[in-house]
Amino acid sequence: MDILLLVSIAQSILAATWRMATPLIYTAIGEIFTERSGVINIGLEGIMLIGALSGYVVTSYTDSLFLGISSAVLSGIISGLLFSLFTVTIKANQIVVGAAFNMIGTGLTGFIYRTLYSGGSTDKLVLDTFPSIKIPLLSDIPFFGEILFQQNLMVYATVVLVPLAAFILSKTAFGLYVKAVGEHPKAADTSGINVTLIRYISTTIGATLAALGGAYLSMAHANQFVEGIATGRGFIALAVVVFGRWSPWGAMGASLLFGVFYALQLRLQAMSGNVIPYQFLQVLPYLATLIVLVSLKGRGAEPKALGKPYKA
Amino acid sequence: MKRLLTLTTVILLVAMVSACTPAATEAPTDVEAPAATEALAATEVPAATEAPAAEEDTFKVGLLSPGPVNDQGWNQTAYDGLVLMEQELGAEISYVELGESPSDFEKAFRDYASQGYDMVLGHGFQFQDSAVKVAAEYPDTKFFVSSSYYYEGTNVYGINTRSDQAYYLLGVIAGSYGDKGGYVGGVEIPPIKEGEVGFINGGLSVNPNWSVSVAYLGNWTDVAAAKEAALSMIDEGATFVTPNANIAGNGVYQAAVEKDVWALGSFGDQTAQAPENIVASYVLNYGRGLVNIAREVKEGTFQGDSNILLGVESPDVMYISYNEGAKEVVSQEVRDKVAAAIEGLVSGEIDAMAGYEQ
Amino acid sequence: MPVIAIVVALLVSAVVLLVAGYDPLEAYPIMWKGAFSDQRTFSEVLLKATPLILLGAGLSLTFRCGIVNLGAEGQFYAGSVVATLIGINFANLPSYLLIPLVLLGGALSGALWAMLAGYLKVRFNASEVVTTIMLNYVAIIFTGYLVTGPMQESKVGFPQTAQIGEAAWLPRFLPPTRLHIGFLIALLVALLIYILLFKTSTGYGIRAVGINAEAARYAGINVRRNILLAMAISGGAAGLGGAIEVTGLTYRLFQMISPGYGFDAIAVSLLVNNNPIATVLSGILFGALRSGSEMMQMNLKVPSVLVSAIQGIVILSVVAFSVYRDKILKWFTER
């Protein structure tokens, strides 16, 4: 195979990588905030679906992407507050509440979508999505141009999101509070930090970003909502957080790794003469995660109070 | 102790209330339910003919669907058939979405058969075992199974659609204009695989350089993955992409729009998904096929001496719909080739599955 | 108290139904009928409950041990694969040998699949939240490969295996219903896990690890051994569930053999505060909701997917009630 072809294949795989990684980046970064404050939210899949549906519905009725995204954010905030109400105030088992959120997300979005769009006419179903924006000059750079500078707004936003999250967590007072609350809530409480408030905020940030991750699927990558559109990405995001050792940069790396495997397996299938059963390619990202996890040997940075409700 | 007593009382009260609520309303509901169903159906389908007159000889049809009936693909084809039966035959229709796990199928078949349904359709090969089992107990009900070749002389009939023929025709169109096509399948099951083979053979029949790049998603919902798969194919040089993946397939049309290549619609007229890039769709009016069967069943003329094949020989069931508003409209010359191919397929001169080991 | 919670959940769901234009007063009675109207419908509820009880009871053991095992789904698949393999390849054995062999094989493979996650946890400190999710995907995708490849019935056929031998079919004890001895096995397993967890020193060790692993270690309890044991038993129950699904109902392996039992079972266990024997009740509740929602769709066209939301709301209200139980009690007693 000649070099030029290989380069072009690599280029398109890498461009696809970033697109496929984006929903994971949003959702995982959010979950980092949640978990760093000591709350684990396994209901990400459900919240992604809720965000995907609310963004889609509002956009399809108003033709405004801005209103759509706003409503996805709003649905995320509501989900986050509800989740905090149950896990922080009521102090219920966080895994239970997360499992419930997944069920509610699946059931409610399917039900609402069916009720609103049962006619079967397709004209209203398709949205005008976030267009891909070619950044002048930069997008013409050979090889990297297409990968880095011809994406849509929600993909670009991850470039801001990751350093911003890293900055907030490591350099701001709020970030310190979050970590303190997640490591030693008792000590944090004694030193005057409002554990409840910090956990509410962190959990809501987490749910909001998960909703955005879902909205990306229905409004930016695809142009419509499909029942179950998250297809397990909420669970993968949980893995990404651990894989990335609770750091935003790590999560971005892990998301990109998932993205590259995902893109690679679709590409390998599409290449002629492929004889490998497609399941072998599909299973790669999951095996890779297991292998990396083993090689890390638990040098993770799991917050010490993760999953434990704080009782003052 | 006093607390405990109060608690027990409360629980008992609530238990009674919760137990009584359904019981109390149960009786009237039995009478009301059918009426409500009709009212609902009537609002859904304004064009519906009048509700059936006499209650006892209402023709009743049930559908077991392996996924959401509004998926704009496989499951919707059967649901559309149900709606048509209601409109044209005055049938009382009902459906239930069961997912893909076969453990629930037998129950649902029995639910319908025991309520005196005349015709029950399990919409997928995976329903066959359960249909066969239940059918033996309910000889008055006719059981149909989609994507099945089953016929053993009993009241279970497999219905198979020739998706190989449909995609053969799409292949003829694509091969007339380009050298490479892309085919995104949902899960690798025979109807999907047959479509792939047809797409390859159809293209080859008009273009010796024709090749098809193929990917399977492993599910029917990941619209994002379908889009990425199509983008990969376009990158591999495909100029015509087509999905066979239910609603996930919509991602393929989107990829075609973004990269400005041609798309071919599947299952129905998909023009709205990509008005400029979809040059043609294959329409499977499975519903029409079902109604034709149902009419025979209702009128007692149903032969039922073999399994059923639906293909291009029924032009009202499977046909190609061209998009006159596409950026490039399919030329008359190519349309003639398609028409010729249909003739060949009907007469048996052309085998859309040629070269595929059965 | 859970009864009140369920009523509240049904009220909340009623609002959802109303908003969507359905009449809950019409819908709920039909739902009830779909689950409890006669012997046949109730037997179907018990059939639906069977895997949920098995998986839920198993999960309660790991949750009590402080392990967030989200892998019952994968362990169920592992069990159903091996059970199918045995059921097909040893079809000539007599029933009294084949059925125990099939069930044992399923349980063993589920146990091994779960122990893999357990091993990764104790040996490499790999978070079970992640490993069990990953192993789910691996098991599901591998099953997909098997039924479209090596184990497929015929080369160009549908993604399903051949039928298992008739000798492997679980006996049905309440004809004409489909109710098979798998349900009784599930009851027995739930009881055994309950006894193990609360009446033996092994169970005490498992619970001690769950309450405080560090303290348990100081008290001389082998934490690693207990984690592996809990995972093995939990996975064994899930694998048994997979084996029973194949030998009791489907008689062959399909690509999507589970409609998500592994995830529903998490809720089934947590709903009753991880009490293995009580999963019988929550399993039946979930089975009834699912059966009822099918009837609701058949008669009223209410999308059956709503049942997931109702289940979720049930869990949330149970959770809220269990926490506020004391306050509510006080409210009643003070009057």
Side-chain angles (χ1 to χ4, degrees), chain C residues 162-175:
Chain C
Q163 271 205 344
I164 56 170
E166 219 163 306
W169 297 8
L170 295 183
R172 297 181 171 179
F173 61 88
L174 194 66

Side-chain angles (χ1 to χ4, degrees), chain B residues 3 26 30 36-37 94-97 101-104 106-107 111-112 125 129 133 147 187 189-190 357, chain C residues 26 33 40 44 48 156-159 178 245 252 254-257 261 291 294 297-299 304 333:
Chain B
R3 274 176 139 213
E26 200 165 2
D30 280 358
T37 321
S94 167
Y95 64 91
V96 58
E97 294 156 344
S101 153
S103 56
D104 292 342
E106 224 181 294
K107 165 183 180 283
D111 279 344
Y112 280 128
F125 75 94
D129 287 354
K133 227 170 277 168
S147 287
V187 178
I189 57 174
E357 296 164 42
Chain C
E26 190 176 38
K33 250 182 63 185
R40 185 179 70 81
E44 288 292 337
K48 279 189 175 33
V156 287
F158 289 98
R178 297 198 289 160
E245 189 80 352
R252 59 170 106 223
F254 292 84
Q255 195 156 11
M256 305 274 176
I257 189 76
Y261 291 136
S291 257
E294 281 167 14
Q297 179 162 49
M298 284 179 178
N299 285 319
S304 60
T333 44

